[in-house]
Amino acid sequence: MDIIDNSNSVFKISGKIDVVDLAGMSVHCLRLDQIHPIVSGNKWFKLKYNLAHALAGNASTILTFGGAYSNHLIATAAAAEAFGLESIGMVRGAHRKENLTPTLKRCEDHGMQLQFISREEYNQTKDMAWLHNLQQQHRGSFIIPEGGNNGLGIQGAAEIASLIPADATHVILSVGSGATFTGIRNALDEHIQILGFAPMKNGRYLEKELQPSKQNWKLIDDYHFGGFGKWKDDLIVFMNEFYHLSNIPLDVVYTGKMLYGLKQLISSGYFPANAKIVCIHTGGLQGNASVQERLNYGLFQ
């Protein structure tokens, strides 16, 4: 089983691009959400080489980190299950143990063992001494950082660039941990402008994480709707209208906010008339579980 070549039949990589009208401008949408119902979008790319190294090193378990609504956690649980590995998810917020979110319940459905830690302890997940002790406690495990944000995750995310048309002038994507943004930015020619939409309040802190090796990018944090995982009625209305017009489902955490913000920029005249805009659908529809009754489409398309 050579997962580096994507030979596992569970995961189908395609460069399908749907063209939609957004505020009077044609926008090309790279449909990475169609790779897999759960390990969709950028998640598979970030996990790909991490899983390959885990298997090559005879690891028995994948150990990783995330919050109560983490797309990364559920994607890791499903991918580990597909490749015969155990999985452990270290969840931020000890209180979550008593009130599992739909995301965490689905993680358990895919065999992930959940361990809940305080926010203070979670802040140590980048400390090498703390990680070493964790590794000693869970021998046989391969540790993947939150969001798959390591060299292997960035290496995988860089491959998304090959699916982006060469004549694109602007690439639009949502930014979580920054691994996908970094990988794509590093792989694209500098003449292509990259806009990253942060779904969290005060998201500009990510600018330091993104390590600006090139100048062809910008981070936008004006469309967070109150914070990470939060939403307002305007966002839900937009998502339903977008689906009606394009048949493309969006998620309330990432892609919905990204497309909403993109529409506002187009309406304000941000882009030149000859721009070829490519937005990347990074999947994560399971994040809609908390608002499902308000949407006109299902969690998995």
Side-chain angles (χ1 to χ4, degrees), residues 39-73:
V39 194
S40 61
N42 58 338
K43 268 66 73 178
W44 167 242
F45 289 91
K46 291 189 293 182
L47 287 171
K48 175 181 172 181
Y49 290 110
N50 276 293
L51 288 172
H53 276 68
L55 291 170
N58 294 317
S60 60
T61 304
I62 300 295
L63 189 152
T64 193
F65 313 91
Y69 300 93
S70 170
N71 283 328
H72 169 70
L73 279 184

Side-chain angles (χ1 to χ4, degrees), residues 30 32 40-47 72 146-161 164 171-188 194-196 206 209-210 254 258 279-283:
L30 178 58
L32 298 184
S40 61
N42 58 338
K43 268 66 73 178
W44 167 242
F45 289 91
K46 291 189 293 182
L47 287 171
H72 169 70
E146 181 181 29
N149 189 13
N150 60 5
L152 295 171
I154 292 171
Q155 177 187 354
E159 295 181 357
I160 297 173
I164 297 172
V171 171
I172 315 297
L173 69 154
S174 186
V175 183
S177 67
T180 301
F181 187 95
T182 300
I184 293 174
R185 181 198 62 197
N186 293 349
L188 285 178
I194 310 171
L195 299 183
L206 286 167
E209 301 284 336
L210 296 175
Y254 292 102
M258 173 191 71
C279 65
I280 300 176
H281 195 315
T282 50

Side-chain angles (χ1 to χ4, degrees), residues 72-94:
H72 169 70
L73 279 184
I74 191 170
T76 301
E81 182 182 46
F83 290 103
L85 295 167
E86 301 293 326
S87 63
I88 298 173
M90 308 289 287
V91 182
R92 179 177 60 249

Side-chain angles (χ1 to χ4, degrees), residues 17 42 45 61 66 74-75 114 122 136-137 159 187 219 221 225-226 231 250 263 282 289:
I17 292 179
N42 58 338
F45 289 91
T61 304
I74 191 170
L114 300 178
Y122 195 89
Q136 296 302 307
Q137 296 172 31
E159 295 181 357
L219 191 66
D221 67 345
F225 289 87
W231 52 273
L250 304 175
K263 181 181 180 181
T282 50

Side-chain angles (χ1 to χ4, degrees), residues 131-254:
L131 290 172
H132 176 74
N133 289 334
L134 189 65
Q135 181 77 69
Q136 296 302 307
Q137 296 172 31
H138 300 278
R139 293 191 179 274
S141 64
F142 183 87
I143 296 178
I144 301 176
E146 181 181 29
N149 189 13
N150 60 5
L152 295 171
I154 292 171
Q155 177 187 354
E159 295 181 357
I160 297 173
S162 67
L163 304 175
I164 297 172
D167 60 345
T169 60
H170 298 78
V171 171
I172 315 297
L173 69 154
S174 186
V175 183
S177 67
T180 301
F181 187 95
T182 300
I184 293 174
R185 181 198 62 197
N186 293 349
L188 285 178
D189 291 335
E190 289 200 51
H191 74 275
I192 299 177
Q193 297 296 307
I194 310 171
L195 299 183
F197 284 78
M200 69 286 289
K201 187 182 292 186
N202 301 319
R204 288 194 181 276
Y205 77 88
L206 286 167
E207 289 178 342
K208 295 180 180 179
E209 301 284 336
L210 296 175
Q211 300 175 357
S213 59
K214 297 181 179 180
Q215 303 303 313
N216 60 331
W217 64 279
K218 182 178 181 180
L219 191 66
I220 298 172
D221 67 345
D222 299 322
Y223 305 100
H224 52 73
F225 289 87
F228 187 75
K230 297 184 178 181
W231 52 273
K232 297 181 180 179
D233 287 342
D234 286 353
L235 179 60
I236 301 298
V237 170
F238 168 76
M239 290 166 62
N240 280 327
E241 290 179 347
F242 187 81
Y243 181 75
H244 176 73
L245 294 172
S246 66
N247 203 37
I248 299 176
L250 304 175
D251 80 285
V252 74
V253 180
Y254 292 102

Side-chain angles (χ1 to χ4, degrees), residues 266-287:
I266 292 174
S267 298
S268 70
Y270 182 93
F271 300 95
N274 64 344
K276 181 171 181 177
I277 301 171
V278 178
C279 65
I280 300 176
H281 195 315
T282 50
L285 294 181
Q286 67 82 26

